[in-house]
Amino acid sequence: FPAINASQFGGYKDQLGLMLAAPSFGGLVAMLLSGRLKHLISPAVAMVAFCGLWALSVIGFSLSTSLIFSLCLLFFMGAFDSCLVVLR
């Protein structure tokens, strides 16, 4: 994240802190809402879907030049990863 912050967003320390915290915050929100995941009919299909959504978030983050959009994608990356952990 420090290299991406320096090359894409100016290298400010506050922005780096937000980039480091966004996936954790996404994971926390997903864990608070994860009770509904155990009632899925097919966890395997949900795992494939969450894995695909996580991959799309990574691709979007790598192509993003907007800090706000990047932070949102990092948030979703953390959330989708946490959902995958719950389903495993």
Side-chain angles (χ1 to χ4, degrees):
F1 288 146
I4 293 171
N5 184 35
S7 67
Q8 293 287 339
F9 306 118
Y12 299 107
K13 293 178 185 177
D14 296 340
Q15 293 174 351
L16 179 60
L18 290 173
M19 289 175 71
L20 293 172
S24 299
F25 186 63
L28 177 67
V29 171
M31 286 293 115
L32 292 173
L33 303 173
S34 66
R36 297 175 189 227
L37 290 177
K38 65 182 177 181
H39 300 295
L40 294 174
I41 295 172
S42 177
V45 173
M47 284 184 70
V48 171
F50 282 124
C51 189
L53 290 170
W54 180 84
L56 288 174
S57 298
V58 172
I59 292 169
F61 175 73
S62 68
L63 298 174
S64 175
T65 57
S66 166
L67 178 65
I68 300 298
F69 187 61
S70 294
L71 291 174
C72 290
L73 290 171
L74 287 171
F75 174 87
F76 286 118
M77 284 168 55
F80 296 143
D81 186 44
S82 293
C83 291
L84 285 168
V85 169
V86 168
L87 290 171
R88 271 185 258 152

